[in-house]
Amino acid sequence: MIARINELLQEVEALKAANAEELEALRIKYLSKKGAINELMADFRNVPADQKKEVGMRLNELKNKAQEKIVALKEQFESRDNGCEDLDLTRSAYPVKLGTRHPLSIVKNEIIDIFARMGFNIADGPEVEDDWHVFSAMNFAEDHPARDMQDTFFIENNAENVSHNIILRTHTSSVQSRVMENTQPPIRIICPGRVYRNEAISYRAHAFFHQVEALFIDRNVSFTDLKQALLLFAQEMFGKDTKIRLRPSYFPFTEPSAEMDISCNICGGKGCPFCKGTGWVEILGCGMVDPNVLELNGIDSKIYSGYALGMGIERIANLKYRVNDLRLFSENDTRFLKEFEAAY
């Protein structure tokens, strides 16, 4: 027994392993239930009584040295630089499939570029907004349906004073209000951003979407200025042969107000299923800024006038790329995004 213990001690002291698999094989060979050391432990009962003390001490020494050697080899592997410290095991397997620039970003940047060439600057504001900047400063009555729980996401609801509500903005007009209350004309801005409305999600609608609104305030701004800006935008975005049509409409923050249609860019205005045979497609709303809005935001309506317009980026993207399901814009499917590689 002593001779066998000494033989195993020499083997343990000389243990080496090139990798974790070899180390595990050594652990099993010496320290597992069926390993060499446990076999000696099982034979210990056959050792004569006068030798038990010495053999027991030697067995414990063997077992401790085997455990220490296995632990030392394991630590050696763990401390070795294997180039894997920065490997994120939660990420997608290589090769990682990449999409392209998002179609909404492509269209948004194109809109921004067109208005930048007309002298408009970009303005930004918070998405979690107070009722004053979203509704009250935009001339919405306190009982206007847009304030209803079915239309708007409420963060904090104040039943006694609706202007103290905290909501997710339903349009980027709140950015216009913030600019007007802190800046005196001339003002020439565009306000791109995400907005939210409490709607059922379908192929035609979503609970969030993206807008670009424009605001121009100065002395002697007229509806003629608005019409010319709209015509230039339409022809830059959809082609030089594009025609526009303005139809009377109503918005709380503009007076007079209009909806703008463009000649269908698919059939050229001749009539097709996309434009429902009319030859026209609606793309945005616009109008002259209501004097009440100017006064509510600290601008003298007797001196200044202005126009405002707003459009949904998804709407413009649909017209340009004919995407038939709005949900595709927010699903991050790289197969869908790959279709726009040639769009920029």
Coordinates of all heavy atoms in Angstrom, one line a residue, residues 238 241-245 261-283 319 322:
F238 N -40.7 64.4 -55.2 CA -41.3 63.4 -56.1 C -41.1 63.6 -57.6 O -41.5 62.8 -58.4 CB -42.8 63.4 -55.8 CG -43.2 63.1 -54.4 CD1 -43.6 64.0 -53.5 CD2 -43.2 61.7 -54.0 CE1 -44.0 63.7 -52.2 CE2 -43.5 61.4 -52.7 CZ -43.9 62.4 -51.8
D241 N -42.1 67.1 -62.4 CA -43.4 67.1 -63.1 C -44.6 67.0 -62.1 O -45.8 67.0 -62.5 CB -43.5 66.0 -64.1 CG -42.5 66.2 -65.2 OD1 -42.3 67.3 -65.6 OD2 -42.0 65.1 -65.8
T242 N -44.3 66.9 -60.8 CA -45.3 66.8 -59.8 C -46.2 68.0 -59.7 O -45.7 69.2 -59.6 CB -44.7 66.5 -58.4 OG1 -43.9 65.3 -58.5 CG2 -45.8 66.2 -57.4
K243 N -47.5 67.9 -59.6 CA -48.4 69.0 -59.4 C -49.0 68.9 -58.0 O -49.0 67.8 -57.4 CB -49.5 68.9 -60.5 CG -49.1 69.1 -61.9 CD -50.2 69.0 -62.9 CE -49.8 69.3 -64.3 NZ -48.8 68.3 -64.8
I244 N -49.5 70.0 -57.5 CA -50.1 70.0 -56.1 C -51.5 70.5 -56.2 O -51.8 71.3 -57.1 CB -49.2 70.8 -55.1 CG1 -49.2 72.3 -55.5 CG2 -47.8 70.3 -55.0 CD1 -48.6 73.2 -54.4
R245 N -52.3 70.1 -55.2 CA -53.7 70.6 -55.1 C -53.9 70.9 -53.6 O -53.6 70.1 -52.8 CB -54.6 69.6 -55.7 CG -56.1 70.0 -55.6 CD -57.0 69.0 -56.2 NE -57.1 67.8 -55.4 CZ -57.9 66.7 -55.6 NH1 -58.7 66.7 -56.7 NH2 -57.9 65.7 -54.8
D261 N -52.6 67.7 -51.7 CA -52.5 66.5 -52.5 C -51.4 66.7 -53.6 O -51.2 67.8 -54.0 CB -53.8 66.1 -53.2 CG -55.0 66.0 -52.3 OD1 -54.8 65.7 -51.1 OD2 -56.1 66.3 -52.7
I262 N -50.8 65.6 -54.0 CA -49.9 65.7 -55.1 C -50.4 64.8 -56.2 O -51.2 63.8 -56.0 CB -48.5 65.2 -54.8 CG1 -48.4 63.7 -54.3 CG2 -47.9 66.1 -53.7 CD1 -47.1 63.1 -54.2
S263 N -50.1 65.1 -57.4 CA -50.5 64.2 -58.5 C -49.8 62.8 -58.3 O -48.6 62.8 -57.9 CB -50.0 64.8 -59.9 OG -48.6 65.1 -59.9
C264 N -50.5 61.8 -58.5 CA -50.1 60.4 -58.2 C -48.8 60.1 -58.9 O -48.7 60.2 -60.2 CB -51.1 59.4 -58.6 SG -50.7 57.7 -58.2
N265 N -47.7 59.8 -58.2 CA -46.4 59.6 -58.8 C -46.3 58.2 -59.4 O -45.2 57.8 -59.9 CB -45.3 59.8 -57.8 CG -45.4 58.8 -56.6 OD1 -46.5 58.5 -56.2 ND2 -44.3 58.4 -56.0
I266 N -47.4 57.4 -59.3 CA -47.4 56.1 -59.9 C -48.0 56.1 -61.3 O -47.4 55.6 -62.3 CB -48.1 55.0 -59.0 CG1 -47.4 54.9 -57.7 CG2 -48.2 53.7 -59.7 CD1 -48.1 54.0 -56.7
C267 N -49.1 56.7 -61.4 CA -49.8 56.8 -62.7 C -49.6 58.1 -63.4 O -50.2 58.3 -64.5 CB -51.3 56.5 -62.6 SG -52.2 57.7 -61.6
G268 N -49.0 59.1 -62.8 CA -48.8 60.4 -63.4 C -50.0 61.2 -63.4 O -50.2 62.2 -64.2
G269 N -51.0 60.9 -62.5 CA -52.2 61.7 -62.4 C -53.3 61.1 -63.3 O -54.4 61.7 -63.4
K270 N -53.1 60.0 -64.0 CA -54.1 59.5 -64.9 C -55.2 58.7 -64.2 O -56.3 58.5 -64.7 CB -53.5 58.6 -66.0 CG -52.5 59.4 -66.9 CD -51.8 58.5 -67.9 CE -50.8 59.2 -68.7 NZ -50.1 58.3 -69.7
G271 N -54.9 58.2 -63.0 CA -55.8 57.4 -62.3 C -55.4 55.9 -62.2 O -55.1 55.3 -63.2
C272 N -55.2 55.4 -61.0 CA -54.8 54.0 -60.8 C -55.4 53.5 -59.5 O -55.9 54.3 -58.7 CB -53.3 53.9 -60.9 SG -52.5 54.6 -59.4
P273 N -55.3 52.2 -59.2 CA -55.8 51.7 -57.9 C -55.1 52.4 -56.7 O -55.8 52.6 -55.6 CB -55.4 50.2 -57.9 CG -55.4 49.8 -59.4 CD -54.8 51.1 -60.0
F274 N -53.8 52.8 -56.8 CA -53.2 53.4 -55.6 C -53.8 54.7 -55.3 O -54.0 55.0 -54.1 CB -51.7 53.6 -56.0 CG -50.9 54.1 -54.8 CD1 -50.4 53.3 -53.8 CD2 -50.6 55.5 -54.7 CE1 -49.7 53.8 -52.8 CE2 -49.8 56.0 -53.7 CZ -49.4 55.1 -52.7
C275 N -54.2 55.5 -56.3 CA -54.8 56.8 -56.0 C -56.3 56.7 -56.1 O -57.0 57.7 -56.1 CB -54.3 57.9 -57.0 SG -54.6 57.6 -58.7
K276 N -56.8 55.5 -56.1 CA -58.3 55.2 -56.2 C -58.9 55.9 -57.4 O -60.1 56.3 -57.4 CB -59.0 55.6 -54.9 CG -58.4 54.9 -53.7 CD -59.1 55.4 -52.4 CE -58.5 54.7 -51.2 NZ -59.1 55.1 -49.9
G277 N -58.2 56.0 -58.5 CA -58.7 56.5 -59.8 C -58.8 58.0 -59.8 O -59.3 58.5 -60.8
T278 N -58.4 58.7 -58.8 CA -58.6 60.1 -58.8 C -57.4 60.9 -59.4 O -57.5 62.0 -59.8 CB -58.7 60.6 -57.3 OG1 -57.5 60.4 -56.6 CG2 -59.9 59.9 -56.6
G279 N -56.2 60.3 -59.4 CA -55.0 60.9 -59.9 C -54.3 61.8 -58.9 O -53.3 62.4 -59.2
W280 N -54.9 61.8 -57.6 CA -54.3 62.6 -56.6 C -54.1 61.8 -55.3 O -54.9 60.9 -55.0 CB -55.2 63.8 -56.2 CG -55.4 64.8 -57.4 CD1 -56.4 64.8 -58.3 CD2 -54.5 65.8 -57.7 NE1 -56.2 65.8 -59.2 CE2 -55.1 66.5 -58.9 CE3 -53.4 66.4 -57.2 CZ2 -54.5 67.6 -59.5 CZ3 -52.8 67.4 -57.8 CH2 -53.3 68.0 -58.9
V281 N -53.0 62.1 -54.5 CA -52.7 61.5 -53.3 C -52.5 62.5 -52.2 O -51.6 63.4 -52.4 CB -51.5 60.5 -53.4 CG1 -51.2 59.8 -52.1 CG2 -51.7 59.5 -54.5
E282 N -53.2 62.4 -51.1 CA -53.0 63.4 -50.0 C -51.6 63.1 -49.3 O -51.3 61.9 -49.0 CB -54.1 63.2 -49.0 CG -54.0 64.2 -47.8 CD -55.1 63.9 -46.8 OE1 -56.2 63.6 -47.1 OE2 -54.8 64.0 -45.6
I283 N -50.9 64.1 -49.0 CA -49.6 63.9 -48.3 C -49.4 64.7 -47.0 O -48.6 64.3 -46.1 CB -48.4 64.1 -49.2 CG1 -48.3 65.6 -49.6 CG2 -48.5 63.2 -50.4 CD1 -46.9 65.9 -50.2
L319 N -45.3 56.4 -50.2 CA -45.5 57.0 -51.6 C -44.3 56.7 -52.4 O -44.3 56.4 -53.6 CB -45.8 58.5 -51.5 CG -47.2 58.9 -51.0 CD1 -47.3 60.4 -50.8 CD2 -48.3 58.4 -51.9
R322 N -43.7 52.3 -51.7 CA -44.9 51.5 -51.8 C -44.9 50.3 -50.8 O -45.1 49.2 -51.1 CB -45.1 50.9 -53.2 CG -45.1 52.0 -54.3 CD -45.2 51.5 -55.6 NE -44.7 52.4 -56.6 CZ -44.7 52.2 -57.9 NH1 -45.1 51.0 -58.4 NH2 -44.2 53.1 -58.8

